[in-house]
Structures are given as C-alpha cells and as structure tokens.
Amino acid sequence: MKLGILVVYLVSERNEPLLDLHLRQIEKNTTVPYIIYGSANRLLPQFRRKLEQHPQVKICDCGSTELRSGFEHSFYLDQLARLAVDDGATHLATLHVDSFPLRVGWAEDLAAKLSGDCVLAAVMRGTHYGYHDRKPLAAGMFFTRNFYLNYQPRFLVSEQEMNAPEYARYQQVWPHVIETGVGYGFKIFTAGLVWYPLLKSNQVNDYPAFGNIYGDLIFHLGEAAWRPYLFGESTAEQRTQRSRLGLAFLFRKVSATARRILPIQIRRLFANQVENQLTAPMYEYVRQQLVDNPESYLNYLRTGKHLPRQV
C-alpha cells in the first residue's frame, strides 16, 4: 500500500496545538508508506514553514478560489485527490486538521473493509443535533485509486446534480447535511455500489457535537477550521458563501409560503446567534481538555477512564 492522506490546512493561530497533535497522531499510528498531500493556500506563514519541514508532508500547488467554507474545502480536496493519484498513491484517505487516526494499523483495517462493491470506508455522523446525517464525512474517508479512476467522484454535488431526480431519491434513502463528502456518497449511490460507515464509538461524550470517535479508529474534534466563522469573525461575503449549501438544502424542505413568511436574512441571523450561544462553551471545553492532556482525554472518550497522571 502507498497511502496518500489528503488534508486542507486551515489553522488559526490559537490552534497550533491541534495541528501538532494531528501530525503526531498520523505519524504514530501509520505504519504503511504514506505522504500527506496538503493544501496551504491560506495557511499562516509560520504553519506553512512547519509543514514544509515535516518529512511526510507534501504541500501541493493548488489553484486558488474565492469560495469559502465547504466550497473551498471541497475545491482543494478535489485537486489533492488528483495529485495523489497522479503521484502513484494506491489508497487515499481524507482527514481534517482536527481529525486523526487513533490506533496503529488504522489504514490496514480500513483497506480490509474495501472489497467487491464496497468502495469506501468513511466516518458517518448518523443522528447529529437532532437531524440525520448519513453521508461520508471528509473528517475520515478511505478509498482506492481504482475507485477514484473508474468513477471520478467529487467531494460536493453540483447544483445540477442537486436538482436531478436521482438526488431526491438519494436524499430520501440517505438523509444528510450537504457538506464535503456528500459527492462521494451520491456517486456510490448512483453507481449501485456500497460503502462502509464508521459509526460513533465513544464510551462517553462531554458534548455530543464535539470530540467524537468513529469505528474506534478516527477522532474528530469538529469544526476547528470554521470556528472563526461561527463566532462572527468572518466577512459578510464568507458567511454568504458558507450559507449557500445549507440554504439550498433548506429550500428543498420548506414551502414557498414559509419562505415568504420568514425572509432569508432573518433565518441566517437566527441560526448564527443560536449556534454561537449553544456551541461556543461546549467546543471550548472539549478543545481545552484535548489540548491539555490529549492521551488521557482520548482514552477517556474511548473507555470512560482517564489515564493516571504522570508523576
């Protein structure tokens, strides 16, 4: 196996410990030959230098975009997948800057899931914040070069695909939030293939939305790259870009009458304020536990027990 790990590196200044942990965990738990194919188009210079000095990281020359949020993430991942395949990778994995493998042999375990019509193993949230999200999530996806070359999947669905009857059927069978990874799920559905979901396996959770483990293989903190948006530090243009996919999904679910009664500006404002108030303290608590003592906190999430303090 020659593994290409695809990561879009967007890291705020305060999240350097998360970047370091991500890199350490990949190195610690990956025993097959691997290269991290990373995009660093908007990465802070000090973090770019850190990646440039890492022996297993290859910073790729990706085309730039004015898109933001999931659009930007998918735009870079599509390029990274092509570059890794062109470079000879036999297997490809995607991770976020706040996700990483937890166990030695994770890549071999995921590769063993792929046989016959099963062409992908991936994190799946399942029920999340009261809604169902049954798509492959790019916080942890694993597939082969043959699947990529034979089916040419993309990480997001296009607006044309969203309006197709096949997509309505897919959405009914696999209800989901439209984010990076949904394009792979849709391609698998239309091709009559199957994929292996990595389900949440925490023994305990401090907060359900953050700090989740999937298949006892992949940890995902959740939304570290997008926290500035959620807490009001982005531009109006960036907020508009990020809302497009969610609004497209919303428009499919509500009537024309309801859309007239509740203007789009009010929906955006209400959603942003609610999310800020409810999730900010949760996220900060889980993030701090992870940063302060990652080994013990990860063991706590997996087993319900903290590791003994080192004297």
Side-chain angles (χ1 to χ4, degrees), residues 27-86:
E27 183 175 3
K28 173 184 174 182
N29 293 312
T30 309
T31 55
V32 300
Y34 76 96
I35 296 174
I36 301 174
Y37 295 86
S39 70
N41 288 51
R42 294 197 296 121
L43 189 63
L44 294 171
Q46 65 267 33
F47 297 152
R48 185 184 182 99
R49 287 193 293 271
K50 177 174 289 194
L51 293 179
E52 288 172 342
Q53 294 167 5
H54 194 289
Q56 298 304 123
V57 175
K58 181 176 182 178
I59 296 180
C60 299
D61 185 16
C62 293
S64 296
T65 179
E66 295 300 316
L67 299 173
R68 293 296 179 259
S69 188
F71 288 98
E72 180 183 22
H73 191 218
S74 299
F75 177 83
Y76 293 134
L77 279 180
D78 282 331
Q79 295 181 68
L80 293 175
R82 169 53 65 184
L83 290 168
V85 166
D86 289 347

Side-chain angles (χ1 to χ4, degrees), residues 145-165:
R145 71 178 284 117
N146 288 339
F147 167 64
Y148 179 84
L149 290 173
N150 290 337
Y151 292 93
Q152 299 291 308
R154 297 180 67 83
F155 283 94
L156 271 183
V157 289
S158 66
E159 292 187 20
Q160 182 179 3
E161 287 173 322
M162 283 184 62
N163 292 323

